[in-house]
Amino acid sequence: MTSPIHSLTVQTARPENARDVAVLLDLAFGPGRFAKTAARLREGNRPIEALSLLAFEGDNLRASVQFWPILIGSDPALLLGPLAVDPAERGRGIGLSLMAHGLDKARGLGHGRVVLVGDAPYYAKVGFVPAPSGAMTMPGPVDPARLLVRELTDGAMAGVGGKITACPA
Ligand SMILES: CC(C)(COP(=O)(O)OP(=O)(O)OC[C@H]1O[C@@H](n2cnc3c(N)ncnc32)[C@H](O)[C@@H]1OP(=O)(O)O)[C@@H](O)C(=O)NCCC(=O)NCCS
């Protein structure tokens, strides 16, 4: 599949990519990534295979993103993350391009809403907005300004709230 960045191709992750992806995530986040509140939602959970996406230029891995099944209260949703771009290749639009690709694909697979914890000014570029104040709670401490949501279909967040929990398939 071709992305808006001409030289980039997006593929679903395969077992043989696992080592390169782990290196990329360690470079991007360091070991501290496992201590974050969002990591609680990945424990005992599995990323959705069709939405575990890698961006390549030629044979070179440039970026990775995953989406995980969760519940907000009793409503299904996706957790986006981690998103990581090769440090040497940042600022080229790769992160936004890969995310936009993933969000489109998620919508096509019938998903309606996505949650993440991250920098609001960055994720606003692909349509994320702050979660309504007090509407939903993560399984640990999170800066409320960094808890962001994105509707994939109109009205998908209306009336949705409660505890955010992992929802392994
Ligand atoms: C955050 C990250 C994914 C961005 O990837 P990237 O490919 O460099 O980003 P893009 O090139 O797609 O986006 C560039 C735009 O986003 C802006 N931007 C990038 N990081 C930003 C941030 N943290 N806050 C606000 N804006 C940001 C840039 O200024 C640029 O804006 P412009 O187009 O108006 O000039 C990358 O820096 C990374 O892997 N960081 C380490 C891991 C991380 O923090 N991941 C996100 C948390 S899950």
Side-chain angles (χ1 to χ4, degrees), residues 28-29 36 80-86 89-97 117-119 121-123 125 146:
F29 295 101
K36 292 184 176 178
L80 187 159
L83 167 71
V85 175
D86 179 340
E89 304 295 336
R90 291 183 187 163
R92 296 176 52 204
I94 293 175
L96 293 174
S97 178
V117 180
D119 292 345
Y122 180 63
Y123 291 101
K125 293 173 188 288
R146 293 172 57 79

Side-chain angles (χ1 to χ4, degrees), residues 10-14 17-18 21-22 24-25 29 33-34 38-39 41-43 45-55 63-70 77-85 95 98-99 101-103 106 114-117 123 128:
V10 178
Q11 303 176 3
T12 48
R14 302 183 189 127
N17 302 127
V21 172
L24 177 64
L25 293 179
F29 295 101
R33 69 191 160 102
F34 297 109
L41 297 171
R42 298 187 193 116
E43 289 168 4
N45 203 349
R46 287 170 64 92
I48 294 174
E49 266 181 45
L51 295 172
S52 292
L53 300 175
L54 304 180
S64 165
V65 72
Q66 295 177 325
F67 294 80
W68 303 70
I70 58 168
L78 298 174
L79 175 75
L80 187 159
L83 167 71
V85 175
L98 183 60
M99 256 194 305
H101 184 103
L103 293 167
V114 184
V115 174
L116 64 76
V117 180
Y123 291 101
F128 281 87

Side-chain angles (χ1 to χ4, degrees), residues 35-38 40 117 138-144:
K36 292 184 176 178
T37 291
R40 302 285 83 78
V117 180
M138 288 284 281
V142 165
D143 175 352

